[in-house]
Amino acid sequence: MSPISVTKFCEKNVIKRNQFNSIVRGLIVSTVFLLFTVQTVLGQVGVPRSYENGMVVSADQIASDIGKDVLKQGGNAVDAAVATHFALSVTFPVAGNLGGGGFMVLHLNNGTQQTLDFRETAPSQTSQEDYLNSSGDPNGRTRKGPFSVGVPGSVHGMITALQKYGTMPLDLILEPAIDIARNGFRLNYQQARRLNLSRNKFSKYPSSDLFSSSEEDSFQEGDLFVQKDLAATLERIAQFGNAGFYRGITAELIVKQIQKLGGKMTLNDLESYESVWRDPIKTSFKGYDLLLMPPPSSGGIAIAQILNMINEYDPEDYGWNSADYIHLLTEAEKRAYADRAYFLGDPDYVAQPTPLLISEEYARDRFQSFDPRKATPVDSVSHGDVPFFEESMETTHFSVVDQKGNAVSVTTTLNSAYGSGIVVGEAGFLLNNEIDDFAVKPGVPNQFGLIGGKANAIQPGKRMVSSMSPTIVTQNGEIRMVLGSPGGSTIITTVLQVFLNVALFDMNIQQAVAAPRVHHQWRPEEIYFEPFALSKKEQFELYIRGHKLKERDSYVGHANCIYIHGNGLLDGGADPRGLNSVSGY
Ligand code: DON
């Protein structure tokens, strides 16, 4: 910091020069202490669990074990991923689901690299007007109640992936999930607590009775949680495949539930739902090749853009979470999130300049305004100039690698915790509230503070833009990392930081996942950071450059990742922010 800016800072904050000096001395002492603490914490949580053959890392121990058992029985990574997903729909109802949607990225040992989009769609009878009041302002229906529900995609996605790349029959894959739904499982402390925290959401809907509790009779750790209706729904899926969910009894129960509450989903919406295979977004960074999710996820484009913008620099020399590093990263994030808000939407509805957005030239151009000493005010950051463009809190991630060298990265969501809170009566599963991921009105933020425009406006049958970023990283053709996280708008920056922690700072995957994180999403004009993510000295440095900073009381993401060594050894990185778990053999 130059003597002139010290003088200005003192004047602005009405402090004397000697007071300033003692503050700086205090900051240095506390920084050394903080770095020591972080080092110690990282040292303790930083030992990955390793296995030689196959691995599943998910948000729940039972689900990870079910996936691992499939691998041990000779199933491949896709078989295990599908089994893990259905198990999470039973044991992790806060986000695991039948009534939501998501994305899958695959890298198979025969070189196949693909992504599957099973994002929800807006029901055919809804329109933007359903979500605005007479003054043209949002009426709250995107987030709550029957209008918030998108047509679910998860079941279609899982069955489609299994049919194309799996090796085991669906009914066998579903057996363990059906068993734990029918016979119950013991709630852990977090599951009981989360259910209790959402009691007001469930109490609005009689069909959600099983999840509902009262102050006097709350869920406790160790309670046996039995879901007979869900078991019956899973059995119908095991017997009839997609038709067991999108047609017949289950479809009728979904439509009955939504229409009873005044919503507009139809049997035809369910029958015509399709998941879509899409080409991955590909980018390279310092010797790593990344396989990323394309739109309607914004994750792939945003991560590629940010990496391209910082690629011209040598952030590995700056030091982990130093002011220089965080300044570089957040300035790139601002520009990528501004582009997200303007350009991105469902690729089947709006044209988007994807190749240009992820090109190195565009990144160079976009980052020309970057000043290493000064934050760019967000008002002066808008979307990039794209001349040829024609306009036309809850998620869960799991990573799987099998013995044969196949990798699968899956993120799925109901959007908010327990989605809309609406359980489909007699079918036992929760419906999403994904409509809130659309831009209900230009400039009006959704629950994650994200804004959007025309490209992400609500239209019948359209998919809403997502931040979910399942990712696979290879190096010289070998799979190196399988990455992903929940966390709404922070998913993108979480996946990015886990990758960079390994790629730039040589952390092992458990350290990379555990390390405290920092986030910027263009608007609001704030760097969010987790406790211990930034020392007082780095906070001060960033403040002097013009950044606004806010310590976040909630976590930034819950990453569940795998690192594969050159000799094939698998390291699991389960996020200690929750009861995420590694299972392998
Ligand atoms: O698709 C999205 O970007 C959001 N619906 C994800 C929601 C989420 O991650 C909430 N979890 N923490």
Side-chain angles (χ1 to χ4, degrees), residues 32-236:
V32 171
F33 177 70
L34 183 77
L35 286 177
F36 176 77
T37 314
V38 169
Q39 197 61 37
T40 312
V41 170
L42 284 182
Q44 280 170 2
V45 295
V47 185
R49 286 179 64 188
S50 304
Y51 294 93
E52 282 179 4
N53 299 305
M55 181 177 277
V56 179
V57 187
S58 87
D60 179 69
Q61 182 73 56
I62 299 174
S64 293
D65 288 346
I66 286 174
K68 186 243 347 227
D69 288 345
V70 167
L71 292 177
K72 267 182 109 169
Q73 287 158 24
N76 70 10
V78 177
D79 297 319
V82 176
T84 305
H85 173 84
F86 283 116
L88 286 167
S89 77
V90 180
T91 60
F92 198 66
V94 65
N97 65 82
L98 300 183
F103 302 112
M104 178 183 283
V105 175
L106 301 110
H107 175 103
L108 303 180
N109 58 9
N110 62 6
T112 301
Q113 297 188 320
Q114 257 196 324
T115 77
L116 183 62
D117 162 4
F118 48 97
R119 184 71 159 160
E120 300 92 327
T121 55
S124 58
Q125 310 289 311
T126 49
S127 66
Q128 190 99 357
E129 287 70 54
D130 285 323
Y131 300 92
L132 299 172
N133 62 23
S134 51
S135 338
D137 293 322
N139 57 18
R141 277 172 160 184
T142 57
R143 215 165 296 173
K144 286 184 188 154
F147 280 85
S148 69
V149 184
V151 181
S154 289
V155 173
H156 200 282
M158 291 303 130
I159 292 176
T160 301
L162 189 70
Q163 280 169 348
K164 187 150 186 189
Y165 294 119
T167 63
M168 288 171 66
L170 180 64
D171 56 345
L172 210 61
I173 294 273
L174 274 160
E175 230 171 55
I178 294 171
D179 181 50
I180 35 174
R182 190 191 297 120
N183 298 312
F185 67 97
R186 299 279 167 195
L187 293 178
N188 61 40
Y189 173 77
Q190 269 199 12
Q191 288 161 335
R193 182 169 167 270
R194 279 181 165 160
L195 284 165
N196 293 336
L197 283 173
S198 292
R199 66 167 58 103
N200 291 340
K201 198 167 190 174
F202 298 129
S203 63
K204 290 195 195 81
Y205 307 108
S207 62
S208 306
D209 196 37
L210 184 69
F211 293 84
S212 216
S213 62
S214 62
E215 294 272 359
E216 302 73 43
D217 191 16
S218 59
F219 287 106
Q220 302 293 325
E221 181 180 2
D223 284 355
L224 186 69
F225 196 60
V226 177
Q227 300 170 85
K228 293 230 184 287
D229 286 342
L230 178 60
T233 301
L234 288 166
E235 271 167 349
R236 285 192 291 275

Side-chain angles (χ1 to χ4, degrees), residues 94-95 101-103 119-120 296-298 340 393-396 411-417 433-437 446-448 450 464-469 485-492 555 557-558:
V94 65
F103 302 112
R119 184 71 159 160
E120 300 92 327
S297 170
S298 59
R340 176 201 198 276
M393 162 170 8
E394 193 68 43
T395 301
T396 190
T411 316
T412 74
T413 189
L414 288 167
N415 200 19
S416 301
N433 61 343
E434 217 72 58
I435 297 291
D436 194 53
D437 276 348
N446 72 2
Q447 66 168 311
F448 303 108
L450 291 168
M464 51 302 273
V465 171
S466 172
S467 302
M468 291 188 282
S469 311
S485 175
S489 56
T490 68
I491 293 173
I492 295 168
Y555 296 129
H558 274 249

Side-chain angles (χ1 to χ4, degrees), residues 531-549:
F532 307 113
L534 294 173
S535 70
K536 287 278 181 254
K537 172 180 164 288
E538 308 305 333
Q539 288 177 45
F540 181 68
E541 267 281 316
L542 288 162
Y543 168 80
I544 292 299
R545 287 179 208 195
H547 290 282
K548 296 188 177 127
L549 293 133

Side-chain angles (χ1 to χ4, degrees), residues 192-454:
R193 182 169 167 270
R194 279 181 165 160
L195 284 165
N196 293 336
L197 283 173
S198 292
R199 66 167 58 103
N200 291 340
K201 198 167 190 174
F202 298 129
S203 63
K204 290 195 195 81
Y205 307 108
S207 62
S208 306
D209 196 37
L210 184 69
F211 293 84
S212 216
S213 62
S214 62
E215 294 272 359
E216 302 73 43
D217 191 16
S218 59
F219 287 106
Q220 302 293 325
E221 181 180 2
D223 284 355
L224 186 69
F225 196 60
V226 177
Q227 300 170 85
K228 293 230 184 287
D229 286 342
L230 178 60
T233 301
L234 288 166
E235 271 167 349
R236 285 192 291 275
I237 297 170
Q239 198 177 354
F240 303 113
N242 275 324
F245 186 85
Y246 292 95
R247 289 163 194 254
I249 298 177
T250 316
E252 281 158 22
L253 291 171
I254 296 173
V255 169
K256 188 168 128 193
Q257 182 65 55
I258 292 180
Q259 293 189 353
K260 194 160 112 188
L261 295 169
K264 290 181 178 173
M265 200 179 293
T266 64
L267 283 175
N268 191 50
D269 289 337
L270 289 160
E271 229 174 83
S272 53
Y273 182 84
E274 293 281 348
S275 42
V276 185
W277 292 104
R278 299 190 191 276
D279 291 336
I281 299 278
K282 293 184 184 178
T283 197
S284 299
F285 181 79
K286 299 194 189 282
Y288 293 95
D289 298 306
L290 290 91
L291 204 62
L292 300 148
M293 196 64 214
S297 170
S298 59
I301 290 183
I303 290 174
Q305 283 190 290
I306 296 166
L307 291 176
N308 282 341
M309 283 187 251
I310 68 172
N311 209 3
E312 302 270 301
Y313 299 80
D314 297 308
E316 59 273 41
D317 299 337
Y318 297 178
W320 179 80
N321 281 16
S322 62
D324 284 342
Y325 176 61
I326 295 300
H327 179 67
L328 178 73
L329 215 55
T330 52
E331 286 296 301
E333 286 167 3
K334 275 181 199 171
R335 287 154 177 86
Y337 276 83
D339 278 357
R340 176 201 198 276
Y342 184 74
F343 292 115
L344 301 192
D346 181 343
D348 298 334
Y349 280 67
V350 284
Q352 7 207 344
T354 304
L356 187 61
L357 290 176
I358 61 170
S359 70
E360 286 171 19
E361 302 73 51
Y362 178 78
R364 219 168 288 133
D365 197 43
R366 199 87 179 85
F367 220 40
Q368 254 177 13
S369 55
F370 171 68
D371 178 344
R373 304 303 312 162
K374 216 162 130 238
T376 322
V378 299
D379 282 341
S380 59
V381 177
S382 134
H383 59 83
D385 193 8
V386 180
F388 307 117
F389 174 64
E390 274 179 45
E391 271 188 63
S392 71
M393 162 170 8
E394 193 68 43
T395 301
T396 190
H397 177 84
F398 58 92
S399 298
V400 185
V401 172
D402 68 21
Q403 195 175 8
K404 302 166 195 103
N406 301 302
V408 180
S409 184
V410 182
T411 316
T412 74
T413 189
L414 288 167
N415 200 19
S416 301
Y418 305 101
S420 62
I422 303 171
V423 170
V424 177
E426 297 169 57
F429 62 89
L430 282 150
L431 291 166
N432 66 81
N433 61 343
E434 217 72 58
I435 297 291
D436 194 53
D437 276 348
F438 279 115
V440 63
K441 189 179 172 185
V444 173
N446 72 2
Q447 66 168 311
F448 303 108
L450 291 168
I451 55 174
K454 224 157 118 192

